[in-house]
Amino acid sequence: MDNILDNVLFNAFGNASENIFVYVCDMKKDISRWSKNTVDYFALEEEYIHKAGEKWLQRIHPNDRNEYIKDIENIFSGKTQNHNCQYRAQNKYGDYVWLECKGSVITDENGVPSIFAGLMTRLDNQLKYDNLTHLKTAHELQNKNFNVNSGILIHIGVQRFKVINSEHGVLYGNMVLVTLANIISNTIPSDCIPYRLQGDEFIIFAENKTTEFGLQLFNKINEQCSALTLAKDGIAAFSIISGIVKYPQDGTDFSTLINNAEHCAEHLKEASTDQVTIFTEKINAAHNRKSKIAQALTESIRNNFNGFELFFQPIVNNDNSTVVSCEALLRWNSHSDEIGNCYPGEFIPILENNGSIVQVGYFVMKEAIRMASIWQKKCKKFKVSFNVSYIQFEDSKFVPTLIKTAEEYKVDTSLIVIELTESVFASDTIMIQNTFKTLKKHGFMIALDDFGTGNSSFMLLHNYNVDIIKLDQTFIRGLNQSGSEVDYAIVESIAFLCNKINYLTVAEGVEDKYLWMRIKDFGFTGLQGYLFSKPLCVKEFEAFLRKYDMYYDTNK
Ligand code: C2E
Ligand code: CA
Ligand code: CA
């Protein structure tokens, strides 16, 4: 890597403090390097970033962007040599933190701006007490000396806090945090200290206490949170989740202890069964595997998406069993024995977590459209669907890139289906409706994927104009030999309703003939499942179509 970016001073200052983030930019190449703590804390793609200005801008609070843009433009145009502004930037937890960003430009021998370097200092961390909850801050926790032989650290978070915030507003979200802080303070014994880490994360440090004590304390706090009522307390009941780590077994400094406690929270969120867990080797191993996969994925992306490949699963027409449609499903070969098999259910959430799903999503989009352009030449009605993560859907370049790619490959856009899950609909309704309008204007089809698994499936039909409903596999698979009449009635009614409002419908997870026969007359348009075929690589998929004579002669 460029030696301007790789110098000893950068390494030294980059590690100087948790509250200071260091960056240096080679302005001629527009490549910058960010200290490791910046990459970690703000979940940046990597230490070296091309055109970082645009990417960093996405992290900045919308209200603070103009000032930042003005400042940076002045620097890059050579108008000023010093950058000094304060703004909020979004960290890996989705919280905005105040930063003071100072930097200067160094010119080359011809006076041309060549290096831009500086520091960003966290302003909130300088505070001893948190403004909102009046608990001690993370800063205080980091500075605390250990003078005990043993203890536990309890990490407490609010379940689905982001949803609470977006559904009821930030002010209500703040009230939830204050209420929880009060409950914690009033419940813990006087020798335990509560802290607010950030966002909805709280820590209790309990010296000389055992994990049994931690579990009991959790139960007491949890009981009070679940007994709240809107009428009496002004706050509806909410759930908390908690991880408990032991000192010194699980870490001998606060950073390690907090990290391990956060791994517990991560584990609980994924498993979504328990609300509290004690840190175990298994949780540690799961976290380490995730980190290894994340690293290997980044490496694959950097190597021009090496290891990523699209598989295609046929969607069969319910009337005549021909295949005129398919879904693109991503596969990834890690090329690592240690990682072994890794399926989308495991790697997609990791890509979503670090934001790389956006880049990978464009790879998927391009490949799916490229294949659609080939297959459409052989079968005029052949549809190709691909999945779009809610994170990519919110990316401002999503719609323009889709339109451009479709033009580039000259595909019939009415045969390109964008599959979206309910998570997409958590953001701004008007924005989504407008994006849908633009997509429709350009001819694309929209499918609502995994229908029935979220909280608001029917509300979505009411609010949004989609073309296809894909009923989630769990409903179809529920119709097996031991399936109940209730499941049967649910599937039949959903198919009936969708037909009534003229939506196309696809039943997912048709695994055997028994299931197929049970739903055959419900009126689904398409059927997808292992009974017809598993997802196949391009070569196998084309062979499958040829074997069943399905696409060379379905020219209708
Ligand atoms: P999905 O969109 O609901 O895709 C259907 C999943 O069900 C696929 O799993 C498919 O292999 C599997 N499947 C199909 N028929 C059957 C069946 O009869 N029985 C059973 N048990 N399973 C069946 P896959 O490929 O592992 O993908 C899992 C999920 O990962 C997808 O669920 C989708 O949410 C996500 N995903 C896959 N590819 C992409 C992608 O390119 N981008 C994004 N954002 N997400 C993707
Ligand atoms: Ca899908
Ligand atoms: Ca699905």
Side-chain angles (χ1 to χ4, degrees), residues 327 329 387 419-421 448-451 453 470-473 508-509 528:
E327 176 176 2
L329 291 157
N387 295 282
E419 294 201 8
L420 302 169
T421 58
L448 185 49
D449 200 2
D450 301 344
F451 185 77
T453 50
K470 296 191 79 175
L471 184 60
D472 191 63
Q473 328 194 349
E508 296 191 305
Q528 184 178 352

Side-chain angles (χ1 to χ4, degrees), residues 297-311:
L297 284 165
T298 307
E299 199 52 40
S300 285
I301 297 170
R302 208 200 320 245
N303 279 331
N304 210 10
F305 301 97
N306 179 24
F308 286 103
E309 183 184 358
L310 283 196
F311 273 40

